[in-house]
Amino acid sequence: MPTAMPSGAPDRRAVPGPGVPVEPRGTPAERAAPQRSRIGLAAQFVLQFVYIPLGMLVAIGFVALPFWAAATSGGGGGGGSGSDLGDLAQIIGGLAGSAISWRRLRIEWNGRTEEWETFTEGLLTKRFSRAERKSRWEPHELPPSGVRRAVTHLWLHHHRGLAPTRVEQLAERHGWSVDWAKSRVVKGELRFFRLIPPPEHVDVPDPYGPPPATGSPWGPMRCRVVIRCSPSSSCRGYASWNSAAVRTRTCATCAST
């Protein structure tokens, strides 16, 4: 005899019919992005050899057009500007970044998690190393504490088969963390940061402590370096330098200055 279910309780026996969307479990940071269509992957891989060179030629043409117009008109103007060249570099960089390599094509085609982990971690290692080398070494950019903040980012097509939380675990292996406040998880853009403390001063003596021992890196020298005075008439002690009795002694006149 079937038992009646209480009112208000969810019916777990109910199965959603066809076309009814099922809400995936977890937050967007806890699930990977859906796998791309293989037809779209193949089309992008083939067509990139056409639209990337064509786009670069169009961008170069738009930047070179003002220079050509200035040269043909005889006005002697500069034509383009530095901002035009910066825009050209940005456009070319964007076109090159949209390319899909043969390795990434195979990874996205198969969609295996272990292959995505190897691919993403290798890319993170390169970006982390480059970001640490370029992270505010200039004195005017360092905060008073001396702690540098290295930052980098990763787009969705570089970690599509991994959840953002899994990418964070890969980054933590290298001492980095995900900046969730600046990351756009829904669009797949992840931003990373790492706080790098200043290097420790090794064997630096305490200014209020006992003096270092003789021969230590910061202690008194075992020998005295003697530098001969230059033959200048302004040095009154140079005349006494020629005597054999004072060849091993520093000129008293220069030592006092």
Side-chain angles (χ1 to χ4, degrees), residues 8-88:
D11 187 0
R12 300 184 182 275
R13 297 173 299 176
V15 179
V20 178
V22 180
E23 179 66 19
R25 298 180 180 180
T27 61
E30 297 176 349
R31 58 176 181 264
Q35 186 176 0
R36 291 184 58 186
S37 170
R38 291 184 175 183
I39 298 178
L41 284 173
Q44 179 183 355
F45 183 77
V46 174
L47 294 178
Q48 68 181 354
F49 297 101
V50 178
Y51 70 79
I52 291 181
L54 183 61
M56 290 183 178
L57 290 177
V58 172
I60 294 175
F62 274 110
V63 174
L65 183 61
F67 294 96
W68 177 80
T72 54
S73 62
S81 60
S83 60
D84 297 333
L85 299 179
D87 295 340
L88 174 62

Side-chain angles (χ1 to χ4, degrees), residues 28-32 159 162-168 178 180 185 190:
E30 297 176 349
R31 58 176 181 264
H159 65 91
L162 301 176
T165 52
R166 179 53 184 164
V167 179
E168 183 183 29
V178 177
W180 297 108
V185 180
L190 298 180

Side-chain angles (χ1 to χ4, degrees), residues 19-203:
V20 178
V22 180
E23 179 66 19
R25 298 180 180 180
T27 61
E30 297 176 349
R31 58 176 181 264
Q35 186 176 0
R36 291 184 58 186
S37 170
R38 291 184 175 183
I39 298 178
L41 284 173
Q44 179 183 355
F45 183 77
V46 174
L47 294 178
Q48 68 181 354
F49 297 101
V50 178
Y51 70 79
I52 291 181
L54 183 61
M56 290 183 178
L57 290 177
V58 172
I60 294 175
F62 274 110
V63 174
L65 183 61
F67 294 96
W68 177 80
T72 54
S73 62
S81 60
S83 60
D84 297 333
L85 299 179
D87 295 340
L88 174 62
Q90 186 176 2
I91 293 174
I92 294 178
L95 289 173
S98 64
I100 178 172
S101 62
W102 174 252
R103 181 187 179 189
R104 185 160 69 89
L105 175 66
R106 290 188 291 108
I107 293 175
E108 292 205 37
W109 190 277
N110 298 326
R112 299 189 182 124
T113 304
E114 58 273 10
E115 295 182 357
W116 271 111
E117 289 183 355
T118 304
F119 174 78
T120 304
E121 187 172 10
L123 186 60
L124 286 176
T125 302
K126 296 179 181 179
R127 296 202 174 188
F128 290 163
S129 178
R130 183 168 60 250
E132 290 175 2
R133 292 196 307 265
K134 299 181 179 180
S135 58
R136 293 185 174 183
W137 276 103
E138 291 77 8
H140 67 278
E141 293 183 349
L142 283 175
S145 61
V147 178
R148 296 181 290 122
R149 181 183 175 92
V151 295
T152 186
H153 67 280
L154 198 67
W155 298 105
L156 175 63
H157 56 266
H158 291 142
H159 65 91
R160 180 179 297 276
L162 301 176
T165 52
R166 179 53 184 164
V167 179
E168 183 183 29
Q169 295 175 0
L170 298 178
E172 289 176 351
R173 298 178 182 178
H174 305 274
W176 284 68
S177 303
V178 177
D179 192 349
W180 297 108
K182 296 182 179 180
S183 299
R184 294 184 293 180
V185 180
V186 178
K187 295 184 178 181
E189 180 187 2
L190 298 180
R191 296 188 175 272
F192 305 85
F193 74 96
R194 182 185 182 186
L195 301 179
I196 306 176
E200 297 182 0
H201 298 285
V202 182
D203 297 332

